[in-house]
Amino acid sequence: MMTHPEKLWQLVVDLLNNKCDINTFCEEFTQLYNLETDYRTLSKDEQSDFMDLCEIAARFSDDEEDLALPNIYFSEKQIRDRAQEIYQRIKGGAKD
């Protein structure tokens, strides 16, 4: 059975490898991070980066009018880019 940190990483990898759509990622990541994860099981970097990713994933929109409002909603590209940055910085390389 996977730990919560492992599940969070798996969701990031699945998003980056196009194995889940953005809506599924946003719903599952925010629920897992906010409601199920014991933050003490995460490294300091994971805590900070996953909190940031969770905040933008919770504010995902694909509506152009929503996205026109600065710093309120985030696009799929912004979320994917942030997930890639986190993965590269912490995992340091190729996706699993």
Side-chain angles (χ1 to χ4, degrees):
M1 191 153 131
M2 289 173 48
T3 65
H4 289 127
E6 290 170 335
K7 289 178 185 177
L8 290 167
W9 279 117
Q10 188 61 55
L11 283 168
V12 169
V13 169
D14 286 351
L15 177 69
L16 296 177
N17 287 325
N18 298 312
K19 291 183 179 178
C20 74
D21 64 69
I22 190 67
N23 287 310
T24 300
F25 171 80
C26 291
E27 286 178 31
E28 291 184 12
F29 192 89
T30 55
Q31 179 175 341
L32 181 60
Y33 182 79
N34 284 330
L35 303 176
E36 300 175 32
T37 300
D38 178 351
Y39 304 127
R40 295 172 297 181
T41 64
L42 301 172
S43 72
K44 195 170 214 168
D45 286 340
E46 287 172 327
Q47 286 178 28
S48 173
D49 287 340
F50 283 166
M51 179 174 39
D52 180 55
L53 184 57
C54 184
E55 286 176 6
I56 67 172
R59 296 189 289 156
F60 165 69
S61 179
D62 57 3
D63 182 281
E64 291 300 321
E65 288 182 26
D66 287 347
L67 295 172
L69 301 168
N71 300 317
I72 296 176
Y73 295 100
F74 293 87
S75 68
E76 178 174 354
K77 181 180 182 337
Q78 290 172 299
I79 294 168
R80 285 180 177 277
D81 288 350
R82 184 66 180 124
Q84 183 67 50
E85 289 170 20
I86 290 168
Y87 189 86
Q88 290 292 350
R89 194 169 68 73
I90 295 177
K91 293 294 190 176
K95 299 178 285 288
D96 296 327

